[in-house]
Amino acid sequence: MWWRVGHEDHVGPDPPRSEWNCLLRAQGGREDSRSPCSRGRGVPRPACILVSAALKQGQVTPTELCQRCLSLIKKTKFLNAYITVSEEVALKQAEESEKRYKKGHSLGDLDGIPVAVKDNFSTAGIETTCASNMLKGYVPPYNATVVQKLLDQGALLMGKTNLDEFAMGSGSTDGIFGPVKNPWSYSKQYREKRKQKSHGKNEDSHWLITGGSSGGSAAAVSAFTCFAALGSDTGGSTRNPAAHCGVVGLKPSYGLVSRHGLIPLVNSMDVPGILTRCVDDAAIVLGILAGHDPKDSTTIQDPVKPFTLPSLTDMSKLCIGIPKEYLTPELSSEVQSLWSKAANLFESEGAKVIEVSLPHTSYSIVCYHVLCTSEVASNMARFDGLEYGHRCDIDVSTEAMYAATRREGFNDVVRGRILSGNFFLLKENYENYFVKAQKVRRLIARDFVNVFNSGVDVLLTPTTLSEAVPHTEFIREDNRTRSAQDDLFTQAVNMAGLPAVSVPMALSSQGLPIGLQFIGRAFCDQQLLTVAKWFEKQVQFPVIQLQELMDDCSSVFENEKLASVSLK
Amino acid sequence: MATPVLRWCCPGRRWVFAGIGGVSRHGRGVPTGSTSSGKRGQSSVAQQPLITAQKPRKGEREWAAVVGLEIHAQIASNSKLFSGSQVDFAAPPNSLVSFFDASLPGTLPVLNRRCVEAAVMTGLALDCHINRRSLFDRKHYFYADLPAGYQITQQRLPIAVNGSLAYSVCVGKRRSQMVTRTARVKQIQLEQDSGKSLHDSLRSQTLIDLNRAGVGLLEVVLEPDMSCGEEAAAAVRELQLILQALGTSQANMAEGQLRVDANISVHNPGEPLGIRTEVKNLNSARFLAKAIDYEIQRQINELENGGKILNETRSFDYKLGCTVPMRDKEGKQDYRLMPEPNLPPLLLYDSGSLPPGTDPQQVINIDQLREQLPELPRVTREKLVQQYGMLPEHSFALLNEVGLLEFFQNVIKETRAEPKKVTSWVLNTFLGFLKQQNLAVSESPVTPSALAELLDLLDRKAISSSAAKQVTDVKKGNPRAINKLIGLVRRATLGRADPTVIKEVLERQLSS
């Protein structure tokens, strides 16, 4: 049920584009002159910028905004999106932000904006668990650089979001705090489609997974409990849940954003990810996070200037590549047809669209398995119960204490990866596995370089094989099989360190979001986002309608009300 | 196993069992001069000095011992290799521990420029090839004082390779002849030090101090070009002097700033090298040679008795004077090396390769460091020999004591006495007294000027050599020596001077 929308003329029965968009309508369609894309109605609005403008004009205070989000967090607690809600911290930050606004000294676009952070980023004074028994109760004494940068901009930290244990998974189902539920499970769009099929029996047991491992962050943004959230992306962990939850998920170029304070999965592939409700917001957050960090030697040295995305005007200069290897048998026909429609859209608007080849794509998964588990084995060695984290009661010997601590602290998935990784790193196996995987990784990276050197600006691919599946279906396969399937389109990007963004395109026949992925040249994140923004504007992805659910709880969940209340 | 009694048969060269009698049956000449560098295999085996051991009634077999060293030198730097924590040997436990040092999750290493410079300078001083691109690896093992579960090191592509270390040992009948030998430097790598564990067996607990965790180390790997404890000790001593001259390490063994592991094997000449053992943590100059010689003899005994040498790690028991297997190193260790993903390759430049317009703070220029290299001990000694006609062993002796060379040079500056006389006075009389009193040069009550003046008097024959020695005696804190001087003065004045006045004058003079 893909629908194409005219550029400026979309008015009518379709759901509003975003809550701040409808907020404006409620206010009488006031245009914000600061908005870089304020050309008429029906255009997706940069939520942060608009809220920011509202804050500056005193239409809403940071404390009101903060309380609104806190109340939404409470109402949507059953989603299990948050592990820790830092209510006191957020309210205090809101209070300080409010003082700044009163003095007219706001710190920037993020001042007073509620954000959430995946629970694998260190937050000073706030428990950081990685959804693992190993780190339950661990309170870091320092902030991750990206967290500090958000706070320095005056952002309000609402809490820490749920994930798969140590970010190992693609469902956000394998953490000690239980699975995250996809807000779309409770959307009007999905429920209506389901009613037609299965006559409303056993409704709640069919809740959908969010994808992962940054499922908590995706759900938090999707359910309006914050405006932006940090995820992490090692093989698709930001883009995958973004696609399933109908939000924008950006994986920046490796080295553009500091990893200091991000509890690592695979150091050579991890990147802090950004989840927002529109591309412009992702660009704003990226502008704040990007740049050299003296605490992370792998960040770029060149200074990064903050940027606003231009509107793409001359489509004829744009060349979109469609990698033929991504057309796999496992790809659902619906995603496939949306993918080709997107390609047609670019072509019909004047862009050059060509088929390209990334011949080593099929080796990506197995190669990733070797490299990922090896680094995991190494990174997890520090969790021995001595300096921090869980420690068992056994004190027979140091070795016995290590063994029991690690057995109790890690789940099966983590332990399994540690075991495989140590196997690959053994002296007798190193050449045959690790070194070979590194060579294959180089070939995969070279595939991309070749394609970009041939004149392609951006690659267009699916993000996931299909829309989100019900939890009951998802857990029929084990974590490893699931990860291998679900990372298919996203993982090679991490191997090559490229920027990529998943943009929600449309709802499936089941009423669930489907996202497409754009892949850019290394460090051409801005160009990538510019294309993504153009695409976002064309497709007019519908806003999630949680009214039915919200009515059960409270009327404020209704989008228009939320919007107008916020602004009064 | 009984500890075999060892004694020198031929200086520095041969071992025999006690009781056989010190007859050198083979009469092989002692190789002199430096061993050639760069080649291994057959030719170098032939170069291995031979060690003779014999068991009664079993006929005689020749044994050659091969010793290689891994020397860990703590880098003299203000902060640690990958973190901003201070480096201080004497700080209270766990007072110098950054989040990174304690391996808090999410922390990342940031390379200390000073440590890289120290490694480059050391590499240059040891004639190494400096790799323009080097890499860091993780070496994994679980140990309580290794918080991350791995050590960041440079096993695969280290910062410096293929150098040489020239050192000298005494040979000849009276061990008075100095010969220079060379040990090839396989590589120099930058790596992290571990913390310290204190095992309290009484309360069955282990206490951990992480102050040392993450301090920068230079691991200097010497090829197995040495053949006995004495050679190894001399090589280590020379390296110590070089590091101290460069200022790249204080290299104080007592404070653990220089630690040595020795790889030791024995074989019959002409046959392949034997299975080696590693003797770890040789942290004192005194025990270094002892431990190696013990281990060589132990291996010979073992093989002579039909036993086998196990590839194992041993430690030296200072009290018993023997090496013993290390219990916690039993079993095969697989360090599961992998590249450190959080550190990009370390790139170094020379004046030719320096990209234009680079910020000098961001890059390290090898040529610039080469220009800044101080004079190395070998050159200093050569100069002493040339300038003052001194015997080589005297030049060694002058450099061996901290501050002695400077003292010597200050005396030379101020006296008209012959350099040979100064050398003899400094090395025999002065140094002898210091040793007797257990004093460092810096603690000496005798200033260089005082000694210079004394030598001037001696030179003008104003006083006799015995009187001069009495003066130094008084200076060294022997008050009774002044009586002898009073006697000398009375004799010189033909008994006309008042002894009390003489004493007063002498005391005033001597205490100045």
Side-chain angles (χ1 to χ4, degrees), chain A residues 122 138 141-142 259 261-263 267 294-298 375 378-379 381-382 387-388 402 422 425-427 430 434, chain B residues 99 102-110 138 140 142-144 147-148 150 156 334 336-339 341-342 344 362:
Chain A
S122 302
Y138 167 65
Y142 74 101
R259 293 179 294 114
L262 166 62
I263 298 175
N267 298 284
K295 290 173 182 155
D296 178 356
S297 310
T298 62
E375 277 202 43
S378 175
N379 288 332
R382 70 188 57 215
E387 282 83 13
Y388 42 80
Y402 286 159
N422 277 321
L425 288 178
L426 285 176
K427 207 172 178 184
Y430 185 78
F434 192 86
Chain B
F99 299 151
S103 79
L104 290 203
T107 53
L108 299 169
V110 179
R138 289 180 178 181
H140 298 88
F142 283 105
Y143 207 77
Y150 56 81
R156 280 185 263 245
D334 191 319
R336 290 158 288 134
L337 285 162
M338 65 165 248
N342 294 320
Q362 292 296 321

Side-chain angles (χ1 to χ4, degrees), chain A residues 103-126:
Chain A
K103 286 184 198 155
H105 294 155
S106 94
L107 294 170
D109 288 335
L110 282 190
D111 200 345
I113 307 282
V115 298
V117 172
K118 190 178 180 180
D119 208 23
N120 60 351
F121 288 93
S122 302
T123 43
I126 300 172

Side-chain angles (χ1 to χ4, degrees), chain B residues 175-193:
Chain B
R175 301 179 47 73
S176 58
Q177 195 191 338
M178 302 290 288
V179 291
T180 304
R181 301 191 197 284
T182 305
R184 289 165 302 149
V185 177
K186 185 179 179 221
Q187 63 186 53
I188 300 175
Q189 60 199 49
L190 278 165
E191 62 182 36
Q192 297 172 298
D193 208 341

Side-chain angles (χ1 to χ4, degrees), chain A residues 396-410:
Chain A
V396 186
S397 71
T398 311
E399 284 73 21
M401 194 268 281
Y402 286 159
T405 295
R406 290 165 68 78
R407 222 215 99 68
E408 292 166 13
F410 295 135

Side-chain angles (χ1 to χ4, degrees), chain B residues 414-475:
Chain B
E414 294 186 34
T415 184
R416 281 173 303 169
E418 285 268 306
K420 272 191 181 171
K421 184 147 265 170
V422 179
T423 309
S424 155
W425 268 79
V426 167
L427 287 180
N428 299 324
T429 320
F430 178 68
L431 192 59
F433 276 116
L434 289 185
K435 292 256 147 111
Q436 202 184 320
Q437 304 290 322
N438 204 14
L439 291 175
V441 176
S442 58
E443 296 165 323
S444 160
V446 180
T447 62
S449 318
L451 185 58
E453 201 181 336
L454 193 71
L455 292 176
D456 274 350
L457 290 171
L458 198 64
D459 193 50
R460 278 188 271 131
K461 301 216 163 59
I463 56 169
S464 72
S465 136
S466 68
K469 280 188 177 138
Q470 302 302 335
V471 171
T472 47
D473 270 2
V474 179
K475 282 297 237 185

Side-chain angles (χ1 to χ4, degrees), chain A residues 80-115:
Chain A
N80 208 11
Y82 288 81
I83 291 174
T84 304
V85 180
S86 46
E87 182 168 351
E88 278 179 37
V89 173
L91 284 169
K92 197 158 177 287
Q93 288 165 340
E95 206 178 294
E96 275 158 27
S97 171
E98 202 157 323
K99 282 183 202 157
R100 288 192 293 269
Y101 274 108
K102 272 183 187 152
K103 286 184 198 155
H105 294 155
S106 94
L107 294 170
D109 288 335
L110 282 190
D111 200 345
I113 307 282
V115 298

Side-chain angles (χ1 to χ4, degrees), chain A residues 294-332:
Chain A
K295 290 173 182 155
D296 178 356
S297 310
T298 62
T299 50
I300 42 151
Q301 296 284 336
D302 310 325
V304 178
K305 286 181 196 144
F307 51 82
T308 38
L309 294 179
S311 291
L312 203 55
T313 46
D314 189 0
M315 293 295 285
S316 68
K317 283 181 185 156
L318 186 68
C319 180
I320 302 283
I322 309 290
K324 63 177 182 189
E325 288 80 7
Y326 283 50
L327 186 61
T328 63
E330 297 90 355
L331 186 63
S332 80

